[in-house]
Amino acid sequence: FPEIKPYSSGYLAVEEPHEIYWEQSGNPDGVPVLYLHGGPGAGCSPQANRFFDPDYYRIILFDQRGSGRSTPPACLENNTTNDLIGDIEQLRNHFSIDRWHIFGGSWGSTLALSYAAEKPNKVLSMVLRGIFLMEQDGINWLLYHNKNIFPEAWEQFTSIIPEDRHDDLLEAYYERLTSEDKEIQMEAAINWSIYESACASLIPNYEIVTTDEQRAQALNISAIECHYFRNQLIRKEDSLLNKVAQFRHIPSIIVHGRYDMICPIQSAHRLNNAWPEADFIVVPDAGHSANEPAIRSRLIEATENMKTI
């Protein structure tokens, strides 16, 4: 859909020290839809509201704790999945919304499913893209096994880590991303960000990080992702797949790229096996990014379909 500007925006004070940025665009009297960004830590992109018909939807975006325009940036204090679920509810109450549609990709799909499991009566429908379950297998794939597909990107990713710690990359990166030395911290942030972006699309896209804004974004996403991978891992016994009964009735569409190398399709396949009532769309010519043309088309078809719910 065409580019649009928000008709209102602001900050909501949640648990200290956090204030989360929010904005609304589209139709103020429209059906509310909440966009949940990925990462965790990525923040909302400028095109996030373009997946929705602005004449029909009241489009609500927010940057999760420590992400995007929320403050303080890259803050790991009081930053957990449960905290974010609480923030979503605080936003819903702030906007006096009874129920809303939920749209989330990658980590946003994790958060959407986690929210739906806690507050199923507040969700009209879900569009989920690039399923990530925050389980050990998915984290291991990104940090270690992706070297079989992107060996040159993985070599760059591990180049700043001593070789004897290549089997402990998460802890090694966490030490650097939380270092008091800002140069060490930023070097790790840029390396992490470039590695992830190289793996995110069907045709590898090697981004560069040069501007202050890009460097800040790299630190937000790398520090918060590393923090969540280390501290918010979902154990098998607590898997979101074990909570499907709580949101099974919610009309939902799962969109996943066949060649997704950030969140391999196995997670989406497992979710579909546990939740066959949800529509499962495998996009044969796409990777992970929501901005790949084939993924984008399926997502817009999904939000158009949501109008019937």
Side-chain angles (χ1 to χ4, degrees):
F1 290 95
E3 290 185 14
I4 52 173
K5 293 184 177 180
Y7 63 78
S8 68
S9 63
Y11 286 85
L12 182 66
V14 290
E15 187 177 14
E16 290 187 353
H18 296 280
E19 291 191 353
I20 56 172
Y21 172 84
W22 59 264
E23 65 181 44
Q24 298 187 93
S25 56
N27 182 353
D29 298 315
V31 177
V33 58
L34 178 69
Y35 178 96
L36 298 178
H37 68 69
C44 290
S45 64
Q47 66 267 30
N49 56 15
R50 297 181 66 188
F51 292 102
F52 313 97
D53 180 349
D55 293 327
Y56 182 84
Y57 288 110
R58 176 185 177 186
I59 307 160
I60 300 165
L61 316 180
F62 81 103
D63 291 333
Q64 296 157 31
R65 296 187 183 198
S67 306
R69 292 150 289 187
S70 293
T71 62
C75 180
L76 309 183
E77 181 184 352
N78 297 331
N79 200 335
T80 69
T81 306
N82 285 336
D83 290 328
L84 300 185
I85 292 171
D87 292 348
I88 293 171
E89 273 298 273
Q90 195 167 335
L91 273 172
R92 188 183 63 78
N93 290 321
H94 177 74
F95 294 126
S96 300
I97 290 170
D98 181 30
R99 295 195 298 163
W100 46 10
H101 297 285
I102 304 291
F103 180 107
S106 193
W107 158 255
S109 74
T110 321
L111 186 54
L113 291 168
S114 300
Y115 176 74
E118 293 292 325
K119 302 291 180 181
N121 61 330
K122 303 303 179 185
V123 182
L124 286 166
S125 78
M126 290 191 287
V127 174
L128 307 170
R129 188 265 314 165
I131 299 300
F132 180 53
L133 299 176
M134 191 56 92
E135 295 180 0
Q136 191 67 61
D137 289 351
I139 294 169
N140 286 347
W141 171 269
L142 180 63
L143 293 181
Y144 303 106
H145 305 315
N146 228 350
K147 67 181 178 183
N148 295 308
I149 311 298
F150 295 98
E152 68 281 22
W154 192 81
E155 285 180 2
Q156 169 81 22
F157 179 57
T158 57
S159 63
I160 65 170
I161 307 297
E163 191 168 348
D164 62 358
R165 298 202 65 188
H166 282 190
D167 61 351
D168 189 25
L169 290 173
L170 184 60
E171 199 62 29
Y173 258 96
Y174 185 79
E175 291 169 7
R176 285 160 175 75
L177 290 166
T178 56
S179 172
E180 295 294 327
D181 187 321
K182 297 304 180 184
E183 288 189 12
I184 290 174
Q185 189 183 54
M186 187 54 67
E187 179 187 45
I190 291 171
N191 245 39
W192 181 292
S193 180
I194 289 175
Y195 170 65
E196 195 167 55
S197 68
C199 305
S201 53
L202 187 61
I203 306 302
N205 175 29
Y206 293 92
E207 294 183 356
I208 57 173
V209 177
T210 54
T211 68
D212 288 344
E213 183 180 357
Q214 289 171 330
R215 289 162 69 89
Q217 168 75 354
L219 182 58
N220 284 359
I221 193 166
S222 58
I224 296 173
E225 272 192 10
C226 194
H227 163 73
Y228 269 73
F229 290 175
R230 183 176 181 266
N231 300 303
Q232 294 296 301
L233 177 75
I234 299 177
R235 298 172 298 177
K236 289 286 186 183
E237 58 267 31
D238 299 321
S239 173
L240 289 165
L241 303 183
N242 298 336
K243 300 180 179 180
V244 167
Q246 289 146 256
F247 51 77
R248 187 182 299 279
H249 64 285
I250 298 173
S252 298
I253 299 174
I254 300 165
V255 177
H256 206 105
R258 170 68 68 187
Y259 300 105
D260 189 331
M261 293 295 116
I262 297 289
C263 302
I265 196 171
Q266 177 66 12
S267 293
H269 180 70
R270 290 172 60 211
L271 178 61
N272 180 240
N273 282 345
W275 189 19
E277 296 86 354
D279 290 338
F280 183 31
I281 300 170
V282 178
V283 185
D285 52 346
H288 181 71
S289 173
N291 294 318
E292 293 198 71
I295 292 277
R296 184 174 59 215
S297 295
R298 302 319 190 281
L299 291 174
I300 291 170
E301 288 172 7
T303 63
E304 287 293 282
N305 182 68
M306 279 180 4
K307 293 177 179 179
T308 67
I309 299 168

